[in-house]
Amino acid sequence: MIVILKPGADERLVQDIVTQIEDTGLKAHLSRGEFRTVIGVVGEEGKVDKEHLLSIAGVEQVLPIMKPYKLASREFHKENTTVHIPCPGGGTVSVGGGHLAAIAGPCACEDETMVHTIAREIKAAGAAILRGGAYKPRTSPYSFQGHGEEALKWLRDAGNENQMPIITEVMDTRHVQTVEQYTDIFQIGARNMQNFNLLFEVGRTRKPVVLKRGMAASIQEWLMSAEYILSQGNRQVILCERGIKTFETALRYTLDLSAVPVVKSNSHLPVIVDPSHASGVREFVPALAYAAIAAGADGIMVEVHDNPSQAMCDGPQALLPETFKTMMRDLRAIAGVFDRTFSRAVSTAPAAPAVAMGAGAI
Ligand code: PEP
Ligand code: MN
């Protein structure tokens, strides 16, 4: 349930109610909006005396949350959540609440040089965040599994050199601590969307998490997985639609763009779209990216490679840097139509002082 406080409720009252709730063994989560504070009560609600809460001066309403997910719901938090990702070298990249982010990079970090080269290229084209796999979830156990911690070092260095935050997938609870030492954002892949122990583990960190939708998961199941992370106190969750399995076999998956407005209506969390894994075919990636931004997504995540035919994984869907550049130009134009802007990482160029001070918009 949620306890909605009257506008202007003071901090002592908020803390007093939180203590009363937690004394019953339940968890209280605060959502501070522009005008009101809402306290989300999670656990066995029968333990709470609703009439008592209502009798407290300063409490306006006590309402049940009808959805099975609570902290992820719009009922708990009305405003759109903006996730702020610290940039190496200063500033932040924002995702959500009108700020868009383009995440780009190779499927896998294949060697140090390629990671640095692609990082420079995508940065110049307007990407805000660098992606790259160190631990790869492969369908076959005989396929390349990623370079592990070594790859994390390459990615971290390339992020630092280009002053871009980095994102990489964590597949195993045993790797969370190691990955946390290097990354700015955890990626939970589609295949691990319901790896509940992993979700709890990244939920206990305080780093942003991109949670990909499982290829056979409903929107509700996806939001329940987000709830696992949120329930541990990590509020920095970004959802990522990456295609689902349907009867249609023309492409790798079917990009469910309707999920974007549906999630936005039910949840306050930012939603981004990955058209690379959804289609599996480079030719179709830009069209799906444009549609994603038009549908209201808070950003895109795409794979880029300098030599896709030699890529160790997902070559057929990787964009060439040149295509990524033109796609970014067109994405900015589409975003402008909807009065939204792409965030960018701090520029390495010393010229403009506004850029040197932090993240800007392009
Ligand atoms: C990826 O982003 O590298 C990836 C494996 O994606 P997904 O989990 O969506 O298949
Ligand atoms: Mn991939």
Side-chain angles (χ1 to χ4, degrees):
M1 71 172 71
I2 48 174
V3 180
I4 303 172
L5 303 185
K6 290 183 179 155
D10 73 49
E11 194 50 37
R12 235 178 322 153
L13 174 72
V14 175
Q15 285 315 319
D16 182 44
I17 299 174
V18 166
T19 309
Q20 288 191 41
I21 291 166
E22 295 195 332
D23 282 351
T24 65
L26 299 178
K27 272 208 160 153
H29 297 262
L30 287 180
S31 157
R32 295 182 198 275
E34 206 179 324
F35 303 108
R36 270 165 222 277
T37 296
V38 174
I39 305 172
V41 185
V42 181
E44 270 178 69
E45 290 185 359
K47 288 183 180 169
V48 177
D49 183 349
K50 189 179 158 197
E51 293 310 316
H52 165 68
L53 286 174
L54 269 172
S55 73
I56 300 173
V59 171
E60 189 164 277
Q61 274 179 302
V62 179
L63 298 173
I65 297 182
M66 303 315 283
K67 305 267 178 357
Y69 45 89
K70 311 290 176 193
L71 305 174
S73 73
R74 270 239 186 250
E75 288 141 288
F76 171 59
H77 191 79
K78 279 217 171 345
E79 293 88 1
N80 290 321
T81 284
T82 307
V83 173
H84 301 285
I85 304 136
C87 251
T92 53
V93 167
S94 302
V95 186
H99 305 277
L100 309 178
I103 306 174
C107 179
C109 297
E110 297 174 12
D111 62 60
E112 188 168 10
T113 310
M114 76 84 86
V115 178
H116 281 263
T117 307
I118 297 176
R120 275 194 294 275
E121 289 163 341
I122 58 135
K123 167 87 187 241
I129 298 167
L130 173 65
R131 65 149 287 149
Y135 301 94
K136 293 305 304 173
R138 304 308 299 279
T139 303
S140 164
Y142 308 118
S143 301
F144 169 62
Q145 304 285 312
H147 287 300
E149 190 166 354
E150 214 187 351
L152 293 175
K153 290 183 185 152
W154 304 333
L155 196 65
R156 178 71 274 159
D157 285 348
N160 290 351
E161 190 182 286
N162 293 281
Q163 293 177 277
M164 304 174 90
I166 59 169
I167 174 169
T168 196
E169 178 163 354
V170 59
M171 288 172 40
D172 191 316
T173 51
R174 291 169 299 182
H175 294 157
V176 170
Q177 274 194 337
T178 305
V179 174
E180 189 181 7
Q181 282 170 35
Y182 295 94
T183 201
D184 299 302
I185 310 168
F186 287 108
Q187 177 173 322
I188 300 292
R191 291 155 191 82
N192 273 314
M193 189 205 82
Q194 287 189 314
N195 182 338
F196 300 121
N197 287 331
L198 185 60
L199 300 177
F200 271 145
E201 209 58 39
V202 293
R204 289 186 195 110
T205 74
R206 290 297 172 264
K207 289 209 165 160
V209 180
V210 165
L211 175 65
K212 288 194 146 194
R213 180 182 183 181
M215 60 273 269
S218 67
I219 290 173
Q220 180 161 307
E221 287 163 338
W222 187 19
L223 289 169
M224 291 306 289
S225 289
E227 191 79 10
Y228 267 83
I229 302 169
L230 298 167
S231 72
Q232 300 308 296
N234 188 342
R235 305 282 277 270
Q236 311 228 79
V237 177
I238 299 168
L239 300 162
C240 178
E241 161 63 38
R242 48 77 72 208
I244 53 174
K245 294 236 186 210
T246 67
F247 58 83
E248 180 54 69
T249 56
L251 296 175
R252 201 170 170 189
Y253 298 97
T254 301
L255 181 62
D256 181 11
L257 274 183
S258 60
V260 174
V262 171
V263 166
K264 289 202 153 279
S265 139
N266 289 296
S267 175
H268 52 91
L269 297 172
V271 190
I272 62 169
V273 168
D274 173 350
S276 300
H277 291 88
S279 65
V281 182
R282 126 174 14 97
E283 181 187 346
F284 303 121
V285 169
L288 297 180
Y290 302 149
I293 296 304
D298 297 292
I300 50 136
M301 171 144 77
V302 294
E303 291 187 343
V304 174
H305 199 288
D306 281 306
N307 191 357
S309 63
Q310 298 296 312
M312 292 174 93
C313 58
D314 285 350
Q317 69 196 33
L319 296 177
L320 285 161
E322 266 315 295
T323 319
F324 177 67
K325 193 171 164 195
T326 41
M327 184 184 86
M328 282 306 300
R329 182 200 63 202
D330 295 343
L331 280 174
R332 283 194 287 271
I334 292 170
V337 170
F338 296 97
D339 222 11
R340 291 180 298 148
T341 46
F342 273 89
S343 303
R344 67 172 174 180
V346 178
S347 171
T348 46
V355 169
M357 281 169 61
I362 44 176

